[in-house]
């Protein structure tokens, strides 16, 4: 599998990793279904690249173009 990242995606990933502070990250493709967020807003379905760590306490970054 080949993953191609734009310069903006690399910058976003670097900022996310610096803030998140984990040792390593996984890049994968995924479909996240639409869901109701904690604030009551509907978060639309997302299909594309994401980045995440193994920590359950840390977030997921959507690598939008």
């Amino acid at each position: 599998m080949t993953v191609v990242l734009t310069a903006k995606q690399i910058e976003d990933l670097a900022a996310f990793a610096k803030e998140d502070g984990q040792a390593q990250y996984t890049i994968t493709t995924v479909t996240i279904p639409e869901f109701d967020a904690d604030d009551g807003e509907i978060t639309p379905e997302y299909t594309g690249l994401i980045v995440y760590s193994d920590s359950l306490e840390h977030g997921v970054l959507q690598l939008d173009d």
Side-chain angles (χ1 to χ4, degrees), residues 3-62:
V3 176
V4 178
L5 299 177
T6 65
K8 170 104 171 66
Q9 289 171 319
I10 294 168
E11 289 171 357
D12 291 346
L13 174 54
F16 178 72
K18 183 176 180 180
E19 181 180 317
D20 204 44
Q22 297 301 298
Q24 64 183 21
Y25 294 87
T26 300
I27 300 174
T28 190
T29 57
V30 68
T31 296
I32 301 171
E34 179 181 282
F35 64 92
D36 292 330
D38 291 340
D39 63 4
E41 295 291 320
I42 294 176
T43 300
E45 179 180 276
Y46 173 79
T47 299
L49 288 173
I50 63 167
V51 176
Y52 65 92
S53 70
D54 290 334
S55 172
L56 297 177
E57 299 174 11
H58 293 88
V60 172
L61 174 66
Q62 296 177 355

